Amino acid sequence: ETGVTQTPRHLVMGMTNKKSLKCEQHLGHNAMYWYKQSAKKPLELMFVYSLEERVENNSVPSRFSPECPNSSHLFLHLHTLQPEDSALYLCASSQDTSRNEQYFGPGTRLTVT
Amino acid sequence: GQNIDQPTEMTATEGAIVQINCTYQTSGFNGLFWYQQHAGEAPTFLSYNVLDGLEEKGRFSSFLSRSKGYSYLLLKELQMKDSASYLCAVRGLGNTPLVFGKGTRLSVIA
């Protein structure tokens, strides 16, 4: 248990669906991250939030839309996804963006059909 | 840009020692990290090196040579539960986010 929770743990959605992934951290951290982990590929950073402001957006397609309503919660809104978007989506948090250690949630295994 | 290389898979025997190497090319350097990730679980932090040398933490040690762009993770007295992927990650200058390697899948056999 890392102090970072994610729901749902598994999600299957069609290409026309809209769904949201949720992340919550109970560590009092100020920075939160979304990563994508595909088979045989490195972890890919998608978004970084610091004090609820987006500070990094790594050329992610607009069908992925993040939201950070407060420093403890992070959402990833999904719409009109493609099959190649199927992956493990990991949330992480750290004290701030300059800190070394990131704490990861268990991830959401997403399958797009 | 940044590039991180590590072997894709390794196999070692229970009770033995294994060394997992990581080489990197970065435009700046502000620390190297090792994470462990069991199948279906979140990555967990193992170690952090920013200066040259060896950092020891129980059965795990991590080494860094900045001039060579090289690090290794050393696991001693291997146990079956050490079977996992080991991710090398590098931070560039300033507050740039971590860049991860593809990970090394370690299998510990009896």
Side-chain angles (χ1 to χ4, degrees):
Chain A
E1 180 63 44
T2 63
V4 182
T5 58
Q6 290 185 242
T7 54
R9 294 294 308 276
H10 300 273
L11 177 63
V12 179
M13 59 186 289
M15 288 189 284
T16 58
N17 293 158
K18 289 185 180 180
K19 296 286 184 183
S20 295
L21 310 185
K22 179 182 176 182
C23 175
E24 183 174 359
Q25 56 97 358
H26 313 274
L27 302 167
H29 288 169
N30 292 320
M32 296 187 76
Y33 311 77
W34 278 118
Y35 286 89
K36 175 183 179 182
Q37 188 173 39
S38 304
K40 300 183 180 179
K41 285 188 175 181
L43 271 172
E44 301 171 57
L45 179 67
M46 300 175 73
F47 301 104
V48 181
Y49 275 82
S50 176
L51 295 171
E52 301 143 48
E53 284 193 26
R54 191 189 308 181
V55 296
E56 188 83 23
N57 178 354
N58 276 7
S59 302
V60 180
S62 60
R63 57 186 184 270
F64 295 91
S65 175
E67 179 190 0
C68 188
N70 55 62
S71 58
S72 299
H73 293 86
L74 185 65
F75 295 89
L76 187 63
H77 303 300
L78 316 171
H79 64 98
T80 59
L81 294 191
Q82 304 298 312
E84 60 264 29
D85 296 322
S86 298
L88 181 68
Y89 289 84
L90 290 162
C91 173
S93 72
S94 61
Q95 185 60 51
D96 54 55
T97 55
S98 68
R99 291 303 179 101
N100 306 319
E101 189 173 345
Q102 292 182 14
Y103 293 81
F104 285 83
T108 295
R109 173 68 63 184
L110 173 67
T111 303
V112 181
T113 61
Chain B
Q2 305 194 89
N3 187 47
I4 300 173
D5 290 309
Q6 49 181 135
T8 304
E9 293 186 31
M10 297 182 72
T11 301
T13 306
E14 191 176 17
I17 299 173
V18 70
Q19 177 174 311
I20 303 174
N21 296 325
C22 172
T23 57
Y24 62 90
Q25 297 89 40
T26 59
S27 54
F29 178 81
N30 198 20
L32 186 142
F33 306 78
W34 285 96
Y35 281 80
Q36 180 191 60
Q37 186 178 22
H38 286 98
E41 297 183 14
T44 54
F45 172 82
L46 286 179
S47 68
Y48 167 68
N49 295 70
V50 68
L51 299 176
D52 290 351
L54 188 69
E55 296 281 343
E56 296 186 75
K57 191 185 294 185
R59 293 189 299 114
F60 293 5
S61 303
S62 57
F63 171 83
L64 175 67
S65 169
R66 289 171 296 171
S67 62
K68 296 181 179 178
Y70 168 70
S71 172
Y72 67 73
L73 181 69
L74 192 71
L75 293 76
K76 303 176 185 176
E77 301 169 18
L78 280 174
Q79 303 175 9
M80 300 300 283
K81 67 178 183 179
D82 297 328
S83 294
S85 287
Y86 291 86
L87 311 177
C88 176
V90 174
R91 185 193 298 281
L93 293 177
N95 292 340
T96 53
L98 293 180
V99 176
F100 284 82
K102 293 183 180 181
T104 298
R105 184 180 305 168
L106 174 66
S107 298
V108 180
I109 59 176

